[in-house]
């Protein structure tokens, strides 16, 4: 996992923190927000340990566990979004107020993913393009040499093989760049076949972590 993946409370539907607190020191509201009751949770370190996402921290001064509240206090005042959603200059965050079928449909149509679904906590935070953090890529660039001039090879055909089987096929972009995403870490040897204007080349690649094989020049 890359270290800069943003992770806050997932406001899980089956939240281990709620179960661990037992007496309502952590609770889920009807709108889905999971909150910590600072009075009931005072001095209770076990609440921190209950979260598999490790997003509860300890407030030494107040002697309570704390976490993202989804800015419930602001939403209750009529705000339509939390502060981080409002503040993000590139619109990387969204809050969606919807019922379960709507959210389910959105997850499917936008190809959204949960982080660590194996925890089985039914998280309510979804990521787009999560594979860019959790999986590997094999990338490179293609150029074409003719009459002593080297140009980007836009629209070149690039095929990825493993064990002689085609895994994926893409075309290079305007800059001659290509990238195969969603590959398994340490998944072994691949062959990248590049073709442009009748010229071809095969490049062997050993995939441990993500790799950029640099520029391939055809002529
Ligand atoms: S992410 Fe952790 S703190 Fe948040 S609801 Fe789930 S278990 Fe509780
Ligand atoms: S700004 Fe609000 S919603 Fe965003 S991470 Fe902080 S508490 Fe959570």
């Amino acid at each position: 996992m890359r270290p800069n993946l943003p992770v806050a409370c997932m406001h899980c539907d089956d939240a281990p923190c709620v179960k661990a607190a037992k007496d309502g020191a952590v609770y889920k509201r009807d709108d889905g927000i999971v909150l910590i009751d600072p009075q009931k949770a005072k001095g209770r370190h076990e609440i921190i340990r209950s979260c598999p996402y490790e997003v509860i921290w300890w407030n030494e001064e107040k002697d309570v566990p704390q976490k993202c509240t989804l800015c419930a206090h602001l939403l209750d005042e009529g705000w339509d979004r939390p502060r981080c959603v409002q503040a993000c200059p590139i619109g990387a965050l969204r809050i969606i107020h919807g019922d379960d079928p709507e959210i389910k449909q959105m997850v499917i149509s936008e190809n959204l993913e949960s982080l660590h679904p194996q925890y089985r906590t039914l998280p309510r935070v979804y990521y787009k393009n999560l594979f860019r953090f959790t999986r590997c890529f094999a990338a490179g660039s293609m150029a074409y040499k003719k009459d002593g001039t080297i140009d980007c090879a836009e629209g070149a055909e690039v095929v990825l093989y493993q064990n002689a089987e085609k895994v994926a096929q893409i075309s290079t972009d305007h800059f001659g760049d290509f990238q195969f995403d969603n590959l398994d870490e340490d998944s072994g040897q691949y062959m990248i076949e590049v073709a442009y204007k009748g010229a071809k080349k095969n490049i062997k690649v050993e995939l441990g972590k993500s790799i950029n094989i640099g520029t391939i020049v055809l002529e």
Side-chain angles (χ1 to χ4, degrees):
M1 180 96 47
R2 294 185 203 173
N4 54 351
L5 176 68
V7 181
C9 175
M10 301 285 158
H11 298 276
C12 310
D13 278 350
D14 192 8
C17 57
V18 173
K19 289 183 195 162
K22 290 187 183 114
D23 59 351
V26 190
Y27 60 100
K28 191 168 181 74
R29 305 198 324 184
D30 289 344
D31 61 2
I33 298 175
V34 174
L35 290 179
I36 296 174
D37 179 324
Q39 265 83 46
K40 288 186 180 174
K42 201 169 177 63
R44 294 177 58 182
H45 287 263
E46 80 277 9
I47 291 172
I48 289 186
R49 294 190 290 273
S50 68
C51 174
Y53 291 95
E54 300 181 352
V55 293
I56 307 178
W57 47 276
W58 192 254
N59 183 325
E60 291 285 353
E61 198 184 313
K62 297 192 185 312
D63 195 32
V64 290
Q66 290 186 326
K67 66 170 193 68
C68 161
T69 60
L70 211 68
C71 291
H73 62 299
L74 298 179
L75 299 181
D76 291 348
E77 282 174 15
W79 287 44
D80 63 349
R81 64 196 118 157
R83 236 181 242 288
C84 54
V85 176
Q86 184 200 45
C88 178
I90 56 166
L93 301 168
R94 282 189 296 167
I95 182 168
I96 306 292
H97 305 272
D99 57 25
D100 284 352
E102 279 170 337
I103 301 295
K104 202 172 172 186
Q105 183 54 42
M106 187 188 73
V107 168
I108 294 168
S109 64
E110 297 189 22
N111 214 9
L112 307 180
E113 289 178 79
S114 301
L115 182 65
H116 302 316
Q118 71 274 19
Y119 293 162
R120 299 179 183 278
T121 64
L122 305 179
R124 298 301 299 226
V125 172
Y126 299 96
Y127 291 79
K128 196 168 180 68
N129 297 325
L130 183 62
F131 63 86
R132 294 197 191 280
F133 286 90
T134 57
R135 303 193 26 104
C136 287
F137 64 81
S141 293
M142 282 184 60
Y144 187 69
K145 188 174 181 185
K146 192 178 176 194
D147 302 331
T149 307
I150 297 180
D151 273 331
C152 300
E154 179 185 1
E157 190 180 271
V158 191
V159 188
L160 182 71
Y161 292 94
Q162 189 172 41
N163 300 325
E165 285 200 17
K166 191 197 269 190
V167 177
Q169 177 169 352
I170 50 179
S171 296
T172 54
D173 65 13
H174 182 63
F175 303 102
D177 293 338
F178 65 87
Q179 180 164 321
F180 294 102
D181 283 313
N182 239 332
L183 303 173
D184 288 328
E185 199 170 290
D186 295 323
S187 49
Q189 208 169 69
Y190 290 84
M191 179 77 80
I192 294 178
E193 182 186 88
V194 295
Y196 190 69
K197 295 191 174 177
K200 265 191 180 184
K201 219 177 217 180
N202 290 330
I203 302 105
K204 275 187 190 166
V205 170
E206 182 76 29
L207 196 67
K209 297 196 183 306
S210 292
I211 189 171
N212 189 318
I213 62 172
T215 303
I216 306 152
V217 182
L218 293 179
E219 51 188 303

